[in-house]
Amino acid sequence: MAEKMLQFVRLQQRQPDKRDASARRADWGEVYENFAAEAAGQQASRCSQCGVPFCQVHCPLNNNIPDWLKLTAEGRLEEAYEVAAATNTFPEICGRVCPQDRLCEGNCVIEKGFESVTIGAVEKYITDTAWEKGWVKPPMPVRERPQTVGIIGAGPAGMAAAERLRTMGYQVTIYDRHDRAGGLMIYGIPNFKLEKEVVVRRWQQYVMGGIQFRLNTAVGRDVTLGELRQRHDAILVATGVYKARDIDCAGAALPGVVAALDYLIASNRKGLGDEVPEFESGALNAEGRHVVVVGGGDTAMDCVRTAVRQGAASVTCLYRRDKANMPGSMREVKNAEEEGVRFEWLAAPESFLGTDKVAAVRAQRMHLGLPDATGRQQVEPIAGAEFEVKADLVIKALGFDPEDLPAAFNEPALGVTRWGTLKVDFRTMMTAVPGVFAAGDIVRGASLVVWGIRDGRDVAEQIHAFIQARAEAPAIAAE
C-alpha cells in the first residue's frame, strides 16, 4: 500500500547513521552507513510534493526528485530508479558527492524546524539497491549507427556524453591520458566520499555496452587532434581543468609546499595499489607531519580529511573568509571538525617560512569589509595581526585553471576565453573548429560533478543534431 506523503509534520529529518569520528579517522570507508529500506521509505515520505518543486529547480540536472521520492515511499524502487536514471547518468555518484545542502536540499520548501527531505541519501539508497538487484544495464542502442564520435577526457562530462551517444547508437571512443577512466572522480575525490568501486563498475558497464576506451593516450603527444578529426565524425573535448592556481607569496617554492591535486592523486593512487614514489618518500604523505591546507572549497576539505587519515600530527585549514562564506559543503566542514581538523577563519597566508624546506606558515588576520560589485564582502587585512602556524607540509587548495589546450593539442584555431576556458557557441556547444565540441569544466571552469553530467548530456544532443544534419545534407542536395 502506498505510504502517505507530507509526513514531515510527523517524522523528523534523519540522515543515515554516521560512523563515529574516531572510527572514520582510522580507515577510508564512507562516512555514512546505508539506509535501511524502512528508514529510506519513511524519509522519502516526508516530501511535501509541492506544485513547484524548488529541489528540482535548483538541481543542475532538473531531476524529478518528488516523483522518485514518492515511488520510494511506496516501495516501488525499480520505478524510482528508472525515474532517477532518466535525467541523471550517475545518480549513485551524485547521491554521494553533490553538495545537497547548497542545491536540492538547501532549497527544499519545508520550513526550518521541520528541516528538508534527505534527498541525497535517498538517491544513494535507490541506486545502490538498483545495482544490487541488477536493474542497472549497460547502454545498449535499439539500432546501431555507422557514425563515430571521439571523446577526449573520461571524466563526468565525457562519460555522460558517451552514455547518451551510445544509447543513440553511435560508435563511441573515449581517449584519456590517465590509466583509469573516471577523471577526478577516481583520482581527485577520496574514498571516504566516493569509493572507487562505485566509479569502476560504471566504467566496466560502459565497456560492456560497446564504448571503447583508449587510456594512457594524451592528445598532442600520442595522437593529434587532426588525426582524431579524420577518424571520427565528431569530437568532444571534455578534459576538465587540472592546472593548480598558485599563491604569490614568499616561500611558495619551498620543498614541502605542494599542490592539492598532486597530493590527492598520490593518495588515491596509493589506495588503488599503485607504486607512488612521491608518497613513499614522504613528499606527498602527511603521516606524522604538521599539515596546513590553504583554501576553503571542497578540494580543501578533501585534503584536510585525507591528511587526518594518513596520520598527520596536526591538521589546520586557513581560509581568508569566515565559515558562513566558505564555498565548500557545510557538511564537509562539520565532518572535518568532528575528525579533529582545526580551522583558522579569516586568515590568509602571508609567507611560508623555512630554509631548505617549509617549517611554518606566517598568516595575516583578515576582516570582511564592504561588498564589491558582485555583492560579496571584500577581504581586508588587519594591521599588526600576524601569527604563525607550524607546518612541514603545506597544501595549496586554491582552485584550478584550464591548461593551454590550443598549445597542448597543437590546434591554434581552438579559441579560448580570457579565463583560458575553451570558447564555444553556447547554442551548439561547438568550438571554432568545425565538428569539435567542448563541454564540462573546460568550458565553464572548475565546477561540480553534477554540472559536468549536465553538460555532457546536453552536448550529446548537439553532437547528434550535427551528425544528423551533415548526413542529411547530401540527400537534400541530390533532390
Side-chain angles (χ1 to χ4, degrees):
M1 178 181 290
E3 187 168 347
K4 292 174 63 178
M5 303 302 289
L6 289 90
Q7 294 299 303
F8 67 90
V9 297
R10 183 176 65 85
L11 297 173
Q12 291 185 337
Q13 182 201 62
R14 182 186 161 203
Q15 294 285 350
D17 292 337
K18 185 188 291 189
R19 298 171 60 226
D20 185 74
S22 60
R24 301 196 318 251
R25 290 169 58 96
D27 63 34
W28 297 88
E30 292 187 359
V31 171
Y32 293 97
E33 304 284 0
N34 293 324
F35 257 144
E38 182 180 0
Q42 289 176 346
Q43 289 300 303
S45 75
R46 297 181 71 250
C47 176
S48 66
Q49 296 287 290
C50 47
V52 180
F54 276 59
C55 58
Q56 181 174 353
V57 170
H58 288 272
C59 171
L61 289 164
N62 300 129
N63 285 328
N64 299 310
I65 296 169
D67 292 347
W68 50 254
L69 286 173
K70 187 174 189 296
L71 290 167
T72 302
E74 295 173 351
R76 298 158 64 185
L77 286 183
E78 188 169 3
E79 294 170 84
Y81 170 72
E82 292 297 333
V83 173
T87 56
N88 191 349
T89 312
F90 309 121
E92 72 278 16
I93 294 175
C94 289
R96 287 169 163 86
V97 305
C98 266
Q100 290 95 5
D101 55 335
R102 290 196 281 123
L103 298 174
C104 53
E105 293 181 20
N107 290 280
C108 180
V109 302
I110 297 175
E111 62 264 32
K112 299 301 179 185
F114 291 103
E115 307 306 334
S116 64
V117 180
T118 52
I119 296 168
V122 174
E123 182 178 38
K124 175 178 177 289
Y125 167 76
I126 293 169
T127 45
D128 282 354
T129 302
W131 279 99
E132 292 170 10
K133 300 290 187 181
W135 300 335
V136 185
K137 303 297 183 185
M140 301 297 293
V142 175
R143 67 180 181 89
E144 297 285 351
R145 299 177 187 269
Q147 296 95 343
T148 70
V149 179
I151 297 176
I152 305 170
M159 290 182 72
E163 188 270 345
R164 298 301 300 156
L165 289 163
R166 182 64 192 133
T167 302
M168 295 176 194
Y170 292 103
Q171 312 308 310
V172 180
T173 303
I174 299 180
Y175 303 86
D176 196 278
R177 60 185 170 183
H178 296 293
D179 56 352
R180 295 179 179 90
L184 291 183
M185 292 189 296
I186 202 158
Y187 285 129
I189 302 176
N191 266 28
F192 52 80
K193 284 176 62 177
L194 178 61
E195 292 180 345
K196 299 299 171 277
E197 174 57 29
V198 175
V199 182
V200 170
R201 67 187 179 188
R202 276 289 179 184
W203 168 23
Q204 293 173 340
Q205 187 197 54
Y206 287 0
V207 172
M208 292 170 57
I211 297 173
Q212 302 293 316
F213 287 83
R214 298 288 182 265
L215 303 176
N216 292 310
T217 302
V219 178
R221 182 193 68 194
D222 304 307
V223 62
T224 68
L225 183 62
E227 289 171 337
L228 292 184
R229 292 182 67 200
Q230 292 178 349
R231 191 179 301 174
H232 299 287
D233 295 278
I235 298 294
L236 169 62
V237 181
T239 55
V241 293
Y242 282 79
K243 181 182 176 183
R245 289 178 187 159
D246 213 337
I247 187 168
D248 185 19
C249 64
L254 280 170
V257 181
V258 302
L261 195 53
D262 293 342
Y263 174 70
L264 292 173
I265 289 176
S267 178
N268 281 309
R269 281 194 175 279
K270 183 66 178 177
L272 286 162
D274 295 351
E275 290 188 11
V276 187
E278 297 88 350
F279 184 92
E280 302 299 342
S281 70
L284 296 174
N285 184 356
E287 184 178 3
R289 304 173 77 176
H290 296 279
V291 179
V292 171
V293 177
V294 181
D298 287 335
T299 300
M301 296 305 99
D302 291 345
C303 290
V304 295
R305 298 178 65 204
T306 294
V308 165
R309 284 158 177 77
Q310 289 178 347
S314 68
V315 182
T316 303
C317 180
L318 292 182
Y319 182 55
R320 63 184 186 140
R321 296 180 183 272
D322 60 8
K323 186 175 182 179
N325 282 280
M326 284 194 76
S329 168
M330 284 296 105
R331 287 181 189 167
E332 292 298 303
V333 175
K334 183 178 180 181
N335 289 335
E337 289 175 329
E338 291 173 351
E339 293 165 7
V341 176
R342 182 167 66 96
F343 285 86
E344 289 285 356
W345 309 111
L346 292 165
E350 187 178 79
S351 61
F352 302 118
L353 308 178
T355 51
D356 55 342
K357 63 179 182 179
V358 69
V361 178
R362 184 173 178 82
Q364 171 78 52
R365 294 287 181 194
M366 315 294 285
H367 75 93
L368 297 177
L370 296 173
D372 59 16
T374 67
R376 197 176 191 196
Q377 287 179 280
Q378 296 177 338
V379 181
E380 300 171 352
I382 300 174
E386 296 85 8
F387 65 102
E388 292 184 10
V389 181
K390 184 177 182 180
D392 44 19
L393 177 62
V394 176
I395 303 171
K396 301 174 291 183
L398 303 167
F400 305 99
D401 288 324
E403 296 161 294
D404 186 355
L405 287 194
F409 290 178
N410 192 27
E411 184 53 78
L414 282 174
V416 297
T417 67
R418 60 191 175 112
W419 298 282
T421 54
L422 286 186
K423 189 180 292 185
V424 299
D425 178 334
F426 285 102
R427 183 178 58 84
T428 63
M429 302 182 77
M430 192 187 299
T431 67
V433 180
V436 178
F437 297 77
D441 288 1
I442 194 58
V443 174
R444 70 167 60 246
S447 188
L448 303 172
V449 168
V450 67
W451 276 113
I453 298 170
R454 168 64 184 268
D455 292 346
R457 293 172 70 92
D458 286 350
V459 78
E461 298 296 331
Q462 298 301 325
I463 291 171
H464 170 64
F466 169 79
I467 292 176
Q468 291 306 300
R470 195 165 65 172
E472 293 168 2
I476 295 172
E479 290 180 356

